[in-house]
Each structure stands twice: as structure tokens, then as C-alpha cells.
Amino acid sequence: MLSGVDHDVPDGIGMARLAWTRLPTADGEEAGPSTSAAADYELLSAAAIESLDYEVIENYAYREEQAQRSKFWVPYYVMLKWLFSLLIGVGTGLAAIFINLAVENFSGWKYTATFAIIKHSYFVGFFVYTVFNLALVFSSVYIVTNFAPAAAGSGIPEIKGYLNGVDTPGILLLRTLVGKIFGSIGSVGGGLALGKEGPLVHTGACIASLLGQGGSAKYHLNSRWVRIFESDRDRRDLVTCGCAAGVAAAFRAPVGGVLFALEEVTSWWRSHLMWRVFFTSAVVAVVVRSAMNWCNSGKCGHFGAGGFIIWDISGGQEDYSYQELFPMAIIGVIGGLLGALFNQLTLYITKWRRTYLHKKGKRVQIFEACLISLVTSTISFVLPLLRKCSPCPQLETNSGIECPHPPGTDGNFVNFYCSKDREYNDLATIFFNTQDDAIRNLFSAKTFHEYSAQSLITFLVMFYSLAVVTFGTAVPAGQFVPGIMIGSTYGRLVGMFVVKFYKKLNIEEGTYALLGAASFLGGSMRMTVSLCVIMVEITNNLQLLPLIMLVLLVSKAVGDFFNEGLYEEQARLRGIPLLDSRPKQVMRNMTAKDACKNQKVVCLPRVSRIVDIVSVLRTNKHNGFPVVDRGQNGEPLVIGLILRSHLLVLLQAKVDFQNSPFPCGPGVLNRHNFSDFVKPASSKGKSIDDIHLTEDELGLYLDLAPFLNPSPYIVPEDMSLAKVYNLFRQLGLRHIFVVPRPSRVVGLITRKDLLLEEHSNNVMAELQSTSG
Ligand code: ATP
Ligand code: MG
């Protein structure tokens, strides 16, 4: 009953290549939105979301290609996959370095200038700081709204959808990649309450997809020689590698990257893929390390000692006692509650934005982002002015006194609006600083009570509100860093109380800040294993592993009680029809027939008149049509499924039109030149209205048999819908035929029949006995 192959070996080039080349999201600029406004893009993309073809279409061309392949094809193909994994790793690593380099330098210039000016006038300093931030945010929102609407947000819900089998137009285009990189620099450098980690995952996916398709056809930056992985299936693997590379680059956490891809973004996973993803992440780690070593010598401006700070957090308490488990579980509960609240608030605000704000066009979106930038700059500058400074602490680790550093450099204790030199402003240390330094400061285990509870609460409330409001603006935005900052603030607060209660224990507030960060991310994103490993990789402290596990489990459980994870909620809101890993309970009591009740199936005859095909395509929106022929006794016989996209390519190419209303013989098929027929033109996003046919052509015929999928997946009508769901989801299908109970059984296939060695021995023995 089931057909199709779950290969790790190549797909067919012929029609399978055709399937890709018309369908790519990545390159078919035509597939992208025709409008430049992000608002229109949101509406367009929800309507244009379409499934991907992960199934191998084993049509005539595919079988021809398979037969012609030499025995070296498989090793060649596998080797190329590894080469591409390497290239994805290098590309994503370099993109991450570029983004960090730019962000650190912009922030460095901003804080150097502001601090030089506030020695003379705080008002002018505030003005310069605000204008600097505004200019960066404006550049980001301008790029996104005018040039790359798909680059807004983190991109993770869309990539998750892509790997689940649905294609959002424009998410993997070259301009989206460029928009994402430069947009992130503007939005993160401009001090908004968002991060660059989510966008880096999207960046990795774009790089992977563009490499797989050999560049961008629209900008004439492509090469046929690199275009090897053209099927949606192959690209799915490459995009998975790209996602892992993004996380590996963002946190310098290679294993975390692999697990993130496995746990959060992919829907299908194979052991072969695991190896390649692992390799890509390792490559990223090496590339990033080399760049850091080079920049640490001061060759990269402000990027160097202060750059990539988020990755260099080490220390934390060496051990923990059992009494601490209770407050740590409380951190988990707070994380679950605040994370679920964050998801709910962002959901409401995004809905509201879509309905009232973003419809009004890109000017409103630009104005909105700029307004949020102004508010963020004002809050982060003015609130620390209201705090009193404290004397620099005497450090235990070195005998001297830790003196204030300007923000944006390596160190904590920012001297801002203090009357004396050897003082620091605790709120400015976390608020008036680059994100990476702020996190490092919050995680810091150097001193006790470095921050007052009042400052921490002020920061928590203000930053949480800013993160909620900033989420959903038309700029590239990740939620990892805001999540870490929010979580580490209340974690540190809890830590301060624990220190008071358990005076005798060796407790460090920084450790609690780390647990708080893990708990908020767990409560909002609902990841467990990958987050846990990322946290351990960031801190280099294996001792903390059980504690991080504990808070993650608690926060996820609490969050799950209220709502879905952030990415699932956002995917649903964007109209991305994600299929969960499990069917709904009600599906157990439904049958396949129930799911397609009242459906009048639109079929095509094997040899169809062009005018009929055009009329079917015009009057229906369906993407697949059963093809019916006549059996030997004249009874109707379903011979396969033809995709709308294939029909469009056939109609556009016109080379297969025939005068005769009868099937063409096999001789004709053998003479047919498929490589001429396979055109790299994309038909995705194209409609039947784009194809112009003359009256004469409309009267001709087309034999669909060579182009259809002769072995679509078929289920009997009384199969439970839950079973159909599992089949559909696990095999990544696009269509399933529902048929009546068959009248006879040709054979049974069991495990042993699929063990090819035994099977081929039996076949050989049988052949020998018949020939003998
Ligand atoms: P895709 O992303 O592939 O477009 P879809 O769910 O939007 O997926 P469509 O092909 O647009 O699928 O079909 C929409 C609805 O029409 C579904 O309920 C499907 O069962 C039904 N349908 C699809 N193909 C046919 C057909 N050939 N005849 C009758 N009904 C069909
Ligand atoms: Mg559809």
C-alpha cells in the first residue's frame, strides 16, 4: 500500500529536480511578495503558505535518471553533502562574526561618544545617545520594510514551519539574508530589547538554502554546477544544518546547536543528518574561535576583549546544597509564570498590531520602531540617573578595588552620574550597557549585593515591558537575549534572599542569575535539553547541570499549564499550519473518510485536452489531482497523482502537447528529451493566468502518464484519522488518497522482505530455478 523511499541517497534529477526548481522558496523571487511593505507581506504570506514536496515523485523521469546513474553517484553525492555542511558552517560562522563585529563597534562608538560628552553635559549626552540609537533602529526598520519584509522577527517560527513541511514565501531569499544581517546590526546595535541569536538561526538557514540551490537566480549570482541539492528533501537537510550552525555561532555552543535543531526546529530526524549537523556545528565553533583569537589582539576595534561576552561567562558556584533546591524550584515556577505571561502578552500585542497598526503601511511600522527606540533610550538613560551610586567594592579575588569601567568594555561597575570617581551606578551597570556586558554583569559572581533589590526590580519591570512591546516590530529580533536578561534579574533577586537565609552556605548570586535565565527561556520557549546544554556550554560549569535541568523541567511544566511555547504560538498566529508530533485525541474516533466528507474529487484523465487542464486549474485551487485511465475492461483506474506545479510547467513548456487523444507509446517517451523539458524557471507563485496559450494549443492533448507520481500513498477509507495523521506527519507527505477497501491482496511485505540481502538471494534462487 505504501510507496516512496526514505533515502539518504540522491533524489531523481528529472522531474524531481523540476519539482524543486519551480518550488523553491529560496530563490523564486517571483514567489516572494510583489509588494515591498512588510504589512502587505504579512497578509500575503499567510495566504500564500503552501506545502513542500518532501515525497520523492517516482515518475518516469526519476526512474530514468536513477537507471542512468553510475555506481559512483552515491559516494559523490554523500561527499558533496559533507562539503556543503562544511560550507554552511564556515558561512554562518563568518556571518555571526560580522554581525558581532559591527554591533560591538557601533555600541563601542556610541558609549565612547556619550561618555565623553556627559562629562560636560548630560543633556547633550542623552541627545547624542538617543540619536545614535534612533539612526541604527531606523536603518534596520527601513531595510526590513522596504527591502526584506521576511527578515522581520526571529524567523524561527517560519523555519520551524519550513522543516515541518510548509513554505512561507520569501523566508529563504538572498535579500532576506542580507536584510537579516544588516537589520540585526541596526536593531541590536540600536539598543532595543531584543537579541541577535534568533536571527542568526534564520541567517544560517538562508545561507544553507542559498548554497543548496547554487546562489540566487534573481541577482544572477548562481551557478548550475553547485545546484545539486534541488529537491525540497535535500534542502530540508541543509536548512537543518543551517539552524544548528546559527545557534552554535550565537552561543559558541556546538552541541547546544545540534540539540536545538533536533528539539526545537526539525520535524524529521535521521541519524545520518545528526552526523552532518554535528560536523557543521563543530566547524562553526572553530571558525568563531579563530576570529576571536584574531580580534582579541585588538585588530577589530571595539570588538575584542568585550566582544562575544555572552560566551565567556565562567565561574559560578562549585557545588550546591540540598537546602538550595527549594529556592531553585521557585525560580523555575517564576520562570514558568513569567514565560507564559510573556507568550500571552506578545500574542495579544502581535494580534493587535496586525489588525490596527501594520495594515496602515510601512510608514507606520517605521514610526513605531523609531518611537520604541526613543522610549528605550530614554528609559535606559534616565532611570539610572535617579539611582544613587555606591562605592566600588573591595574584591576578594584580587586585593585591589574594582574600579568602574565605561560601558561597552570588559567589566562591570559602570560609573554613571556618580559624584566620585570610585563609585558605580548599579542600574546603569545593567541598563546603560551593551546586552552582552549587561548579561555578564548579571551573571557575575565576583561580589555579593553588587546590585540593590530596588535596581533589579526596576530593571525587571521596565525591561520586561520593553521586551513585550518591542516583540513584533518590523525589525529582526531574537528572544534569547531579552529572555536571559529578564530571567537573570529575578534569579539574582531570589539569590539575594537565599544568601540572607542560608548565611553559612557558599552561595553565589550569579549562579541564581544563570538559573533564572534558564527558567525564563524554559518557561517561554519550552525547550529543555538544548537549553540545558547551551547553558552549560556558556558557563563551562558542569556542576550546575542538575540544577539547570531542575529549573528547566519546572518552568516548562508550569508554562505548559497555561499556553503553548513562544514559537508555536507565533507560528499559529502567522497562519503557519504546523502539524504537531501527535494527533488530536478526537482523531481516534474519526476515519479517513470523515476527513474528506462531501468532497467532490477533481480528477484528470490520463490524456487530457489542454483546454480542460486549464479550466480545472482555473476553477480549483487544489495542488494535486488524481489521474484516471481506463483499465483493460474499460473500468476507471487511478494511475497516480499529478501536481499543479508540474502541470503549470508542462503548460508553459508546451513541448509535450500532442495532436492525438491517445496515450503516446513507450517509444515516443524514450525519444523525449527530459533535460530540455526541465527548466529552472520557478512556477511557484505563478498562476495559470500567467500562461498564455493560443486557440490551437488549447485544442491539443497532453499525456500525463510520464509526469505523474505513479505511487502516491493510499489509505483505506475506514482507517482511523489518527493513523492517517501519523503516516502523513512521519513521512512528510503532501497528499494521501483515500480509497475503498481493495478487493484482493497481491502480497504481504514483512520485515524480512525488506532486508534486501535475503530478499535478493531468494529472488536470485527463484530466477535460477525458473531458468533451470
Ligand atoms: P497545500 O499546501 O498543498 O496547498 P492544502 O491543504 O492547502 O495544502 P489544497 O490542495 O489547497 O491543499 O486543497 C485544499 C482542500 O481541498 C483540502 O481539503 C483537500 O482535501 C481538498 N482537495 C485537494 N485536492 C483535491 C482534489 N483534487 N479534489 C477535491 N478536493 C481536493
Ligand atoms: Mg493550498
Side-chain angles (χ1 to χ4, degrees):
M1 178 172 21
L2 303 182
S3 63
V5 205
D6 193 0
H7 318 241
D8 191 38
V9 291
D11 287 341
I13 295 183
M15 202 63 173
R17 170 172 292 183
L18 170 73
W20 184 124
T21 38
R22 303 153 293 67
L23 297 178
T25 41
D27 189 43
E29 290 279 327
E30 325 60 337
S34 55
T35 167
S36 57
D40 295 348
Y41 169 75
E42 280 180 11
L43 300 174
L44 248 183
S45 62
I49 284 172
E50 214 165 72
S51 304
L52 292 158
D53 290 293
Y54 286 150
E55 187 186 345
V56 179
I57 309 279
E58 293 177 324
N59 57 17
Y60 176 81
Y62 171 79
R63 290 197 299 267
E64 278 251 297
E65 289 287 344
Q66 292 288 316
Q68 281 168 10
R69 277 177 188 166
S70 74
K71 61 179 178 188
F72 298 111
W73 170 255
V74 172
Y76 169 69
Y77 176 86
V78 171
M79 194 198 75
L80 276 178
K81 275 204 162 178
W82 283 95
L83 179 66
F84 272 72
S85 305
L86 174 81
L87 293 177
I88 294 167
V90 174
T92 312
L94 291 178
I97 290 160
F98 177 69
I99 293 175
N100 276 283
L101 197 93
V103 167
E104 288 294 321
N105 274 301
F106 277 124
S107 306
W109 294 328
K110 177 173 74 185
Y111 284 113
T112 313
T114 310
F115 264 75
I117 295 168
I118 57 175
K119 282 189 187 137
H120 311 290
S121 160
Y122 272 84
F123 184 75
V124 181
F126 170 64
F127 181 75
V128 169
Y129 174 71
T130 311
V131 170
F132 214 114
N133 280 338
L134 194 63
L136 284 169
V137 172
F138 177 78
S139 71
S140 171
V141 67
Y142 189 83
I143 291 170
V144 169
T145 48
N146 286 283
F147 177 68
S154 75
I156 294 179
E158 287 85 355
I159 298 295
K160 206 173 148 92
Y162 183 86
L163 296 175
N164 193 264
V166 277
D167 176 15
T168 314
I171 50 158
L172 297 173
L173 300 179
L174 179 63
R175 59 180 173 159
T176 305
L177 172 66
V178 174
K180 203 93 201 179
I181 292 177
F182 287 96
S184 292
I185 294 170
S187 61
V188 179
L192 291 180
L194 44 80
K196 53 187 177 280
E197 286 65 23
L200 259 174
V201 174
H202 192 173
T203 303
C206 285
I207 290 175
S209 169
L210 287 165
L211 273 175
Q213 67 172 34
S216 169
K218 161 124 186 190
Y219 301 102
H220 306 290
L221 292 171
N222 66 335
S223 157
R224 258 191 70 220
W225 302 108
V226 201
R227 224 166 43 216
I228 295 138
F229 302 109
E230 294 189 306
S231 73
D232 285 342
R233 239 182 135 74
D234 285 333
R235 289 211 311 155
R236 178 176 74 186
D237 290 0
L238 294 180
V239 168
T240 308
C241 286
C243 290
V247 172
F251 296 103
R252 214 186 61 195
V255 184
V258 176
L259 293 174
F260 173 81
L262 171 64
E263 185 181 1
E264 188 53 32
V265 286
T266 57
S267 299
W268 297 281
W269 192 261
R270 287 165 298 135
S271 51
H272 288 281
L273 184 58
M274 169 80 99
W275 278 100
R276 277 200 300 277
V277 172
F278 196 60
F279 173 64
T280 308
S281 300
V283 171
V284 171
V286 173
V287 171
V288 167
R289 184 85 231 165
S290 316
M292 278 174 70
N293 286 344
W294 195 63
C295 285
N296 275 340
S297 54
K299 289 180 184 136
C300 309
H302 289 274
F303 175 80
F308 288 125
I309 285 295
I310 185 169
W311 302 336
D312 282 341
I313 300 153
S314 52
Q317 67 197 61
E318 288 290 301
D319 208 353
Y320 57 93
S321 54
Y322 291 112
Q323 291 105 302
E324 286 180 78
L325 291 181
F326 180 65
M328 285 170 181
I330 291 195
I331 290 185
V333 174
I334 300 175
L337 292 175
L338 287 184
L341 181 69
F342 184 83
N343 294 2
Q344 208 59 39
L345 289 176
T346 49
L347 192 69
Y348 287 141
I349 291 187
T350 315
K351 268 188 195 161
W352 179 83
R353 263 202 181 102
R354 289 187 146 213
T355 325
Y356 299 106
L357 220 55
H358 286 189
K359 265 188 188 165
K360 293 189 179 153
K362 58 186 170 188
R363 284 198 183 166
V364 173
Q365 289 175 303
I366 294 176
F367 177 76
E368 180 198 27
C370 291
L371 185 69
I372 291 176
S373 165
L374 280 178
V375 173
T376 310
S377 302
T378 309
I379 290 178
S380 59
F381 192 98
V382 173
L383 281 186
L385 294 180
L386 309 175
R387 287 287 309 152
K388 267 195 198 154
C389 289
S390 326
C392 291
Q394 185 87 31
L395 291 186
E396 289 167 11
T397 44
N398 69 38
S399 51
I401 291 173
E402 179 80 351
C403 289
H405 292 261
T409 59
D410 183 16
N412 24 12
F413 310 115
V414 170
N415 179 293
F416 181 73
Y417 203 55
C418 300
S419 48
K420 291 185 196 138
D421 268 358
R422 287 191 174 275
E423 280 186 341
Y424 75 101
N425 184 325
D426 62 349
L427 192 53
T429 298
I430 44 180
F431 224 153
F432 192 63
N433 213 332
T434 62
Q435 291 169 345
D436 288 353
D437 278 351
I439 292 173
R440 222 180 79 112
N441 294 343
L442 280 166
F443 282 11
S444 152
K446 283 184 187 170
T447 51
F448 290 142
H449 301 315
E450 184 178 329
Y451 308 97
S452 65
Q454 202 184 352
S455 289
L456 288 177
I457 292 171
T458 312
F459 178 75
L460 178 62
V461 173
M462 296 319 293
F463 196 81
Y464 191 93
S465 316
L466 284 175
V468 168
V469 176
T470 312
F471 185 98
T473 41
V475 290
Q479 275 67 54
F480 273 104
V481 161
I484 291 177
M485 289 175 80
I486 292 167
S488 46
T489 312
Y490 65 74
R492 215 172 162 106
L493 265 171
V494 174
M496 283 167 65
F497 285 108
V498 178
V499 170
K500 268 196 181 156
F501 281 114
Y502 303 123
K503 280 197 182 113
K504 283 184 195 151
L505 300 177
N506 182 21
I507 289 167
E508 282 176 8
E509 291 167 18
T511 302
Y512 281 75
L514 175 79
L515 294 179
S519 76
F520 187 82
L521 294 178
S524 167
M525 295 171 187
R526 313 286 155 80
M527 292 185 275
T528 47
V529 184
S530 49
L531 260 181
C532 183
V533 173
I534 290 174
M535 286 294 173
V536 170
E537 283 184 293
I538 289 176
T539 53
N540 285 330
N541 191 344
L542 257 182
Q543 298 277 354
L544 297 180
L545 188 65
L547 303 181
I548 297 175
M549 286 165 78
L550 172 79
V551 292
L552 279 173
L553 285 172
V554 174
S555 63
K556 180 176 160 55
V558 173
D560 279 343
F561 183 76
F562 293 100
N563 50 26
E564 275 188 301
L566 183 69
Y567 299 133
E568 284 80 13
E569 296 243 0
Q570 291 297 322
R572 226 166 288 288
L573 188 67
R574 279 160 217 211
I576 300 171
L578 287 183
L579 288 182
D580 287 341
S581 54
R582 276 182 306 166
K584 297 228 160 25
Q585 184 67 27
V586 50
M587 290 186 177
R588 290 175 204 274
N589 299 327
M590 292 172 73
T591 62
K593 198 176 172 186
D594 295 334
C596 41
K597 239 181 204 164
N598 307 327
Q599 217 178 56
K600 198 160 178 335
V601 181
V602 184
C603 299
L604 284 170
R606 173 177 170 177
V607 183
S608 303
R609 275 186 79 195
I610 304 297
V611 66
D612 296 334
I613 299 178
V614 171
S615 138
V616 163
L617 293 182
R618 282 229 166 95
T619 47
N620 295 283
K621 289 254 176 287
H622 306 316
N623 285 306
F625 302 93
V627 178
V628 187
D629 198 4
R630 296 257 154 228
Q632 280 171 348
N633 304 326
E635 79 285 0
L637 189 72
V638 179
I639 57 167
L641 171 105
I642 186 100
L643 291 176
R644 165 183 282 264
S645 49
H646 286 189
L647 285 174
L648 287 178
V649 174
L650 288 166
L651 290 181
Q652 198 169 35
K654 300 178 185 178
V655 292
D656 304 280
F657 294 177
Q658 59 183 50
N659 289 315
S660 150
F662 301 107
C664 48
V668 178
L669 278 179
N670 287 337
R671 283 200 305 275
H672 191 94
N673 189 348
F674 275 92
S675 54
D676 289 346
F677 170 72
V678 176
K679 290 213 167 127
S682 165
S683 82
K684 185 142 201 185
K686 248 184 207 153
S687 88
I688 181 69
D689 301 325
D690 301 332
I691 295 171
H692 302 290
L693 295 158
T694 61
E695 280 296 314
D696 289 349
E697 284 164 346
L698 286 172
L700 297 177
Y701 293 87
L702 181 61
D703 183 359
L704 300 175
F707 314 109
L708 50 77
N709 176 5
S711 48
Y713 287 79
I714 292 171
V715 296
E717 57 187 340
D718 49 2
M719 185 188 264
S720 84
L721 196 57
K723 224 168 163 180
V724 177
Y725 185 99
N726 285 330
L727 190 69
F728 196 95
R729 173 67 170 67
Q730 282 168 19
L731 294 177
L733 301 182
R734 191 176 185 185
H735 297 102
I736 290 189
F737 284 179
V738 181
V739 297
R741 283 258 163 221
S743 53
R744 70 190 186 95
V745 177
V746 175
L748 274 169
I749 289 184
T750 65
R751 180 181 293 265
K752 285 203 187 103
D753 302 314
L754 299 174
L755 297 173
L756 215 55
E757 257 172 53
E758 272 182 40
H759 191 68
S760 53
N761 286 344
N762 290 345
V763 172
M764 289 303 288
E766 205 173 295
L767 280 176
Q768 275 165 6
S769 68
T770 47
S771 63

